[in-house]
Amino acid sequence: MSNTDTPLSLEDQILLMKNYVVFRQKSKARTLLRKEGYFRVSRYGKYLLSFTNVLRSKPDQTLLYDLYIFDEALREIFFRYTQKAELQFKNHLSNSVSLKLNNPTFYLDSSSYTPSRGESDKIKRTRYQKKFTGFSTDLKKSENKLISKPHMYPELKAYRKGGPRYRKRIPAWTAFMYFDFGTIEHIYAYLRLDLRKEVLVSGYPESIRKVSKIDTKNMDTWIAAIRNLRNTCSHHNMLVGKTSSIVHLDNLDSAVVLPSNTDLFSRMYALKKVLDLKDSESLKNDVIKLIKKTKFNIHQFNILPLNWETLFDQIHKF
């Protein structure tokens, strides 16, 4: 099969970028393209071009640079808080279920899970059950990898031959620190309903609600949103204007606090649900600081709702 794409020189890339942005200083354009790559930079140009009805003209290179710098700083903020959310949820999950079952390796025990995920739809039930077999196998392989790779995980030598915990499985509170967030997401999704509830009751003891099945399903969407956001930030992909997985509205919240369930603010909504109160407030303050020092009006480009601070404050903590 032939590939119709052809490699482009730096000058060719600048010519193509002129379709989206007006360049007055080609040297700066060359520096940016050499460092960041045409595909990444062109996405910002295309995004700005879609707002010509607001700008009234083709955007210039200064705005392109400002948007790029803003997006880079925004990714740094969100990556930091998605990491916090990930660590907090891993702790809630490992500690609460281990204590509930008095079983530190519950995650390797098939009796901890519901392969159908309690789904009433026959097609979904069948799909979940089919995937569970592979998930369970991969989970055991992931745990075994921690034991069998001494050069990668020397700190786990106690679980290897000659160690005091030889032939013991790695407890959840240790293994989960190595598992990626996607694996944690699936562990929670497949847990028995009583254990899913226990994670939320134990992890959020100040919650004013009686945790229900709906709450556990809502949490599934919040975790997925945070994981998607984390992946976007960690891979240095464009965050501004990105849409992602659907976030469910908490029953305690008014619909007005979630204008869209797939935009960037919906990721902030999910973070406030999962993070502790102090961290969620710090997230809001860090975003405010960034916006204040940004050289363009972010609301012109639908990056966040105009009243996002008010909406964020109205979101009920889980």
Side-chain angles (χ1 to χ4, degrees):
M1 181 183 293
S2 63
N3 191 339
T4 56
D5 290 337
T6 56
L8 299 171
S9 69
L10 208 55
E11 297 307 312
D12 290 334
Q13 293 173 24
I14 291 174
L15 286 175
L16 286 176
M17 283 297 300
K18 285 184 175 180
N19 292 324
Y20 317 117
V21 180
V22 175
F23 286 102
R24 293 185 175 84
Q25 293 176 298
K26 285 188 177 182
S27 60
K28 290 186 68 175
R30 290 190 189 95
T31 299
L32 182 63
L33 289 167
R34 188 180 292 112
K35 287 173 56 181
E36 311 296 343
Y38 171 76
F39 178 75
R40 189 184 307 279
V41 177
S42 66
R43 294 184 67 196
Y44 292 89
K46 292 174 184 177
Y47 182 75
L48 287 174
L49 190 64
S50 69
F51 288 92
T52 49
N53 61 320
V54 175
L55 300 172
R56 304 303 176 103
S57 63
K58 186 183 289 187
D60 64 23
Q61 65 187 91
T62 300
L63 183 56
L64 175 70
Y65 300 143
D66 289 344
L67 177 64
Y68 192 91
I69 291 169
F70 171 80
D71 193 61
E72 189 175 46
L74 195 65
R75 290 198 307 270
E76 290 176 358
I77 290 173
F78 279 111
F79 184 64
R80 185 163 68 252
Y81 286 98
T82 54
Q83 284 184 305
K84 289 178 180 290
E86 177 181 348
L87 289 174
Q88 288 172 26
F89 195 78
K90 282 180 175 181
N91 283 327
H92 297 338
L93 178 57
S94 63
N95 294 339
S96 60
V97 183
S98 294
L99 288 169
K100 176 76 173 180
L101 298 178
N102 193 27
N103 180 3
T105 59
F106 70 87
Y107 67 100
L108 296 172
D109 188 343
S110 60
S111 66
S112 302
Y113 300 103
T114 302
S116 67
R117 292 172 56 170
E119 180 56 57
S120 57
D121 182 270
K122 184 177 179 180
I123 295 176
K124 288 183 178 180
R125 283 174 66 90
T126 302
R127 184 171 72 247
Y128 290 148
Q129 288 168 337
K130 185 177 180 180
K131 288 184 175 181
F132 179 76
T133 302
F135 159 73
S136 181
T137 300
D138 289 343
L139 196 56
K140 291 172 183 176
K141 286 181 179 178
S142 295
E143 189 267 350
N144 186 62
K145 180 182 177 181
L146 297 177
I147 296 175
S148 62
K149 301 284 186 180
H151 298 298
M152 292 179 66
Y153 311 106
E155 64 273 25
L156 299 177
K157 63 181 180 180
Y159 294 93
R160 301 188 183 102
K161 190 172 182 179
R165 297 190 179 99
Y166 178 52
R167 294 191 182 279
K168 288 187 177 182
R169 311 320 300 177
I170 299 177
W173 54 84
T174 300
F176 286 11
M177 292 303 104
Y178 296 90
F179 290 172
D180 62 59
F181 204 22
T183 299
I184 299 300
E185 178 185 357
H186 281 93
I187 289 173
Y188 180 70
Y190 275 115
L191 277 180
R192 293 178 350 218
L193 179 59
D194 62 313
L195 300 179
R196 282 161 60 80
K197 288 181 178 180
E198 181 64 24
V199 173
L200 304 187
V201 171
S202 176
Y204 302 95
E206 297 178 358
S207 178
I208 61 174
R209 74 189 77 210
K210 181 179 180 181
V211 175
S212 67
K213 182 177 181 179
I214 291 176
D215 293 320
T216 68
K217 287 186 174 295
N218 288 343
M219 183 60 72
D220 287 334
T221 71
W222 302 336
I223 295 171
I226 292 170
R227 176 181 55 79
N228 291 334
L229 177 60
R230 181 189 184 281
N231 289 344
T232 296
C233 296
S234 64
H235 292 102
H236 316 293
N237 291 328
M238 180 176 169
L239 184 56
V240 168
K242 182 178 175 59
T243 57
S244 190
S245 59
I246 292 174
V247 163
H248 286 184
L249 181 72
D250 190 343
N251 291 338
L252 295 182
D253 291 325
S254 166
V256 298
V257 305
L258 193 61
S260 168
N261 57 13
T262 60
D263 65 358
L264 179 60
F265 184 73
S266 70
R267 313 300 99 174
M268 296 187 72
Y269 179 92
L271 279 166
K272 184 165 183 180
K273 292 298 181 183
V274 175
L275 287 168
D276 69 27
L277 184 59
K278 183 178 179 181
D279 285 334
S280 64
E281 284 301 305
S282 294
L283 165 63
K284 183 186 78 170
N285 291 333
D286 285 349
V287 174
I288 290 172
K289 290 176 185 176
L290 173 61
I291 292 172
K292 283 182 177 179
K293 68 179 183 180
T294 297
K295 297 178 181 179
F296 63 92
N297 182 357
I298 71 157
H299 302 300
Q300 279 188 309
F301 304 101
N302 299 334
I303 296 172
L304 287 171
L306 186 62
N307 62 336
W308 74 269
E309 293 176 52
T310 301
L311 296 178
F312 191 84
D313 289 341
Q314 292 175 355
I315 299 170
H316 282 88
K317 194 71 186 72
F318 184 82

